[in-house]
Every structure is written in structure tokens, then in C-alpha cells.
């Protein structure tokens, strides 16, 4: 009567509890399911002495499959505080979560479908089958193996989550994190999944401010401001300046080349015998080469 429609081949188990001082080293079953003949179908064990979690299932050949999770991060489960232990059972793997964080994942062999026609036990000691002394808040079984991964631990201290909104008129009232409902499917069809209500969360708060970005490339030159000239305008030719101060007297130039010979002067009148002749007028001066003077 606990699972009238059986249990899906893939599912999630979520248990919230804390251990007491006298039982923190006990070895006990969180959940144990039997068939009508008393054969164990699935078991989830917490071992306080070894600080491990064990998952047992029935193989395809009716053999027993045991997977032991001994990650050191599981040690926090035994500090006598409230913790949430999640188990995601897939067709080929089992994952353990503690306080909504993945601790370890192991690949599994092929499992058979579960026969839940027998009894179901929770929180019983492996030694004698008596109830273990713990503070149990809840044990939930979901027909979706992803629930253990999607759970946000909204009921933990210091954690705030938006309520989950469901559009199914027959669904349970709004809860924080997930629907507290027992959902299942017949084990005769291991490939089938149950049809859970479609959930839609509310819009979350804005996230924290991001880190500064990397330095960008150098930008293009900007437009000149009011009263300022652009680079092109500043580079244009300016007005003609004032005349400069006269320079000092330079050094004497090199001597010029000799000028050309002057024209021959007119010949004087021949004097009489015994008398001196008269000299003719002087000829024109010779011309010098201007280039030679330079």
C-alpha cells in the first residue's frame, strides 16, 4: 500500500535528519524495500563507524549489487547537525549528494525492476532491525533521478529560494525548492517515467556585480571640443612672419679673373724731324669678366 503503482526504474531519494550522540556510530538503513518473499530489492545504509553510505540493489540476474561511497566529504553527515542526504538512481549510475552538493558518482551494472509487494522499512538498525534513534525531518521518494541534483536546499539556514509555481490544479500547495509528493511508476516498464507536473519558478533577484572586464583596444581620436582645433587644422600653413633683422657684413670675396685687353688707342700725329711726337688720346678702359669678380 506504500507504493500502489510501484516505483520507477530511475528515481531520487532525499532524507533530512541529524544523528544523536548515542547513535552517530550506528549502522542503519535509511530505506529498505522487500518483495513479498522477503528478498531485499533496494537498501540505503548509513554506517557511522566507517563514515560511509552504501547503496544495495538487485541485479538483472537477481544478484546483489553493492556500491560503497566513502568520500571524506561525507564525514560532515556525522557531526550531529541536520543534513540532507540525496541519492540519484539512474539506469547505469548512482550519485550521492550531501546538502545539495554532489559528493560522488559510481557507474552501476544493469539492475532489475523492483518488486515492492513486500514491506518497506525506514531508519532501522542493521544489527537488530530496531528503530535507530535519530531526528528525522523527512524522507522523500521522487520518480525523477534529477530531483536530487536540482534540489537547492531551500530549507537550510541562510538560504533563500523563490517558491515553485505549478500549473496543475490538483497539485499540492506551493512549497520552497520542490513538491513534497511521493511520485512513482510501475516497475514492469523500466524505461518509462512518471509524468510529474510541469514546474515554473519565479524570476530571481539580480545577481552580484560582475568583475571588471579586460582592457580594451585604443579608441579612435575624438572630435575637437568647443574652441579647439582639430589635428588637421593645427597642421595647416600659417601667415607670413615679420622681416628678419639684417645680417652682419660678410667676408671679402675672392679676387676676380683678369679683364679682357682694352682697345688700342688712336695713333698720334707724326712730328717733324727733331720734334717729339704728340701722343694720341687714351683708349677706352678694358672690360672685366663679371663672373670672375664673383
Amino acid at each position: 500500500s506504500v507504493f500502489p503503482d510501484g516505483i520507477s526504474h530511475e528515481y531520487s531519494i532525499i532524507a533530512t535528519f541529524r544523528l544523536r550522540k548515542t547513535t552517530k556510530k550506528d549502522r542503519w538503513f535509511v530505506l529498505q524495500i522487500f518483495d513479498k518473499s522477503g528478498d531485499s530489492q533496494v537498501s540505503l545504509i548509513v554506517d557511522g563507524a566507517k563514515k560511509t553510505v552504501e547503496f544495495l540493489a538487485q541485479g538483472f540476474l537477481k544478484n546483489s549489487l553493492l556500491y560503497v561511497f566513502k568520500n571524506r566529504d561525507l564525514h560532515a553527515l556525522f557531526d550531529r547537525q541536520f543534513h540532507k542526504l540525496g541519492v540519484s538512481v539512474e539506469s547505469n549510475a548512482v550519485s550521492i549528494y550531501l546538502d545539495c552538493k554532489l559528493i560522488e558518482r559510481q557507474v552501476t551494472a544493469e539492475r532489475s525492476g523492483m518488486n515492492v509487494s513486500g514491506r518497506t522499512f525506514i531508519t532501522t538498525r542493521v544489527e537488530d532491525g530496531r528503530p535507530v534513534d535519530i531526528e528525522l525531518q523527512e524522507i522523500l521518494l521522487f520518480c525523477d533521478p534529477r530531483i536530487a541534483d536540482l534540489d537547492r536546499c531551500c530549507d537550510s539556514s541562510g538560504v533563500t529560494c523563490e517558491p515553485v509555481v505549478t500549473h496543475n490544479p490538483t497539485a499540492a500547495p506551493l512549497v520552497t525548492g520542490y513538491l513534497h509528493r511521493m511520485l512513482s511508476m510501475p516497475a514492469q516498464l523500466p524505461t518509462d517515467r512518471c509524468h510529474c507536473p510541469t514546474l515554473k519558478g519565479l524570476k530571481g533577484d539580480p545577481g552580484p556585480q560582475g568583475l571588471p572586464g579586460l582592457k580594451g583596444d585604443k579608441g579612435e581620436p575624438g572630435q575637437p571640443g568647443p574652441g579647439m582645433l582639430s589635428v588637421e587644422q593645427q597642421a595647416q600653413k600659417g601667415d607670413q612672419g615679420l622681416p628678419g633683422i639684417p645680417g652682419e657684413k660678410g667676408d671679402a670675396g675672392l679676387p676676380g679673373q683678369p679683364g679682357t685687353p682694352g682697345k688700342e688707342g688712336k695713333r698720334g700725329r707724326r712730328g717733324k724731324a727733331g720734334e717729339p711726337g704728340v701722343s694720341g688720346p687714351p683708349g677706352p678702359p678694358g672690360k672685366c669678366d663679371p663672373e670672375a669678380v664673383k
Side-chain angles (χ1 to χ4, degrees):
S1 60
V2 177
F3 307 109
D5 297 325
I7 298 178
S8 172
H9 190 64
E10 296 185 316
Y11 53 92
S12 293
I13 303 172
I14 298 177
T16 304
F17 58 88
R18 74 174 175 179
L19 303 176
R20 296 186 186 274
K21 183 177 181 179
T22 57
T23 56
K24 68 177 184 178
K25 291 188 177 181
D26 284 354
R27 177 177 167 86
W28 52 282
F29 293 103
V30 177
L31 175 69
Q32 191 176 27
I33 301 176
F34 295 92
D35 63 8
K36 191 173 183 179
S37 61
D39 293 332
S40 177
Q41 301 295 295
V42 64
S43 299
L44 180 62
I45 299 175
V46 172
D47 191 328
K50 297 180 180 179
K51 291 183 170 56
T52 60
V53 174
E54 302 174 16
F55 177 79
L56 293 90
Q58 191 174 81
F60 188 73
L61 300 177
K62 304 301 180 182
N63 56 317
S64 180
L65 304 176
L66 172 63
Y67 303 95
V68 180
F69 298 85
K70 54 182 69 175
N71 193 294
R72 291 185 60 86
D73 290 340
L74 285 173
H75 291 189
L77 184 63
F78 306 93
D79 62 4
R80 295 168 54 197
Q81 302 298 320
F82 270 106
H83 294 285
K84 181 172 292 188
L85 178 64
V87 182
S88 171
V89 183
E90 301 173 89
S91 60
N92 61 347
V94 175
S95 303
I96 297 293
Y97 295 80
L98 183 62
D99 297 330
C100 306
K101 296 179 181 179
L102 176 63
I103 302 300
E104 189 176 348
R105 184 175 187 269
Q106 294 188 23
V107 177
T108 62
E110 187 174 2
R111 294 179 292 107
S112 65
M114 277 193 292
N115 184 339
V116 296
S117 59
R119 295 186 175 185
T120 296
F121 295 89
I122 61 172
T123 63
T124 58
R125 290 190 299 189
V126 175
E127 180 183 358
D128 54 16
R130 297 180 63 83
V132 66
D133 185 18
I134 66 171
E135 291 186 54
L136 176 65
Q137 187 178 86
E138 63 183 3
I139 292 182
L140 305 174
L141 182 63
F142 294 91
C143 64
D144 191 338
R146 298 171 298 176
I147 295 296
D149 184 27
L150 297 177
D151 188 5
R152 297 177 295 163
C153 284
C154 298
D155 49 0
S156 300
S157 60
V159 178
T160 303
C161 300
E162 296 290 344
V164 175
V165 179
T166 176
H167 300 286
N168 188 344
T170 62
L174 297 181
V175 295
T176 57
Y178 49 78
L179 290 175
H180 289 58
R181 302 179 64 191
M182 307 296 280
L183 304 172
S184 59
M185 274 290 288
Q188 289 79 3
L189 299 175
T191 57
D192 291 347
R193 302 237 184 135
C194 62
H195 301 284
C196 301
T198 301
L199 305 179
K200 182 179 180 181
L202 299 179
K203 184 177 180 181
D205 296 330
Q209 183 177 357
L211 298 175
L214 299 177
K215 184 177 180 180
D217 297 332
K218 184 177 180 180
E220 297 293 334
Q223 296 295 328
M228 299 296 293
L229 297 178
S230 64
V231 175
E232 292 79 4
Q233 291 173 330
Q234 295 177 20
Q236 293 178 358
K237 182 178 179 181
D239 299 332
Q240 183 175 358
L242 298 175
I245 300 175
E248 298 178 357
K249 183 178 181 181
D251 298 333
L254 297 175
Q257 296 294 330
T260 56
K263 294 182 180 181
E264 183 178 359
K266 293 183 180 181
R267 182 174 297 180
R269 178 178 58 82
R270 180 179 295 182
K272 296 180 179 179
E275 295 179 359
V278 179
S279 59
K287 294 181 179 179
C288 66
D289 189 354
E291 296 297 328
V293 175
K294 292 182 180 178

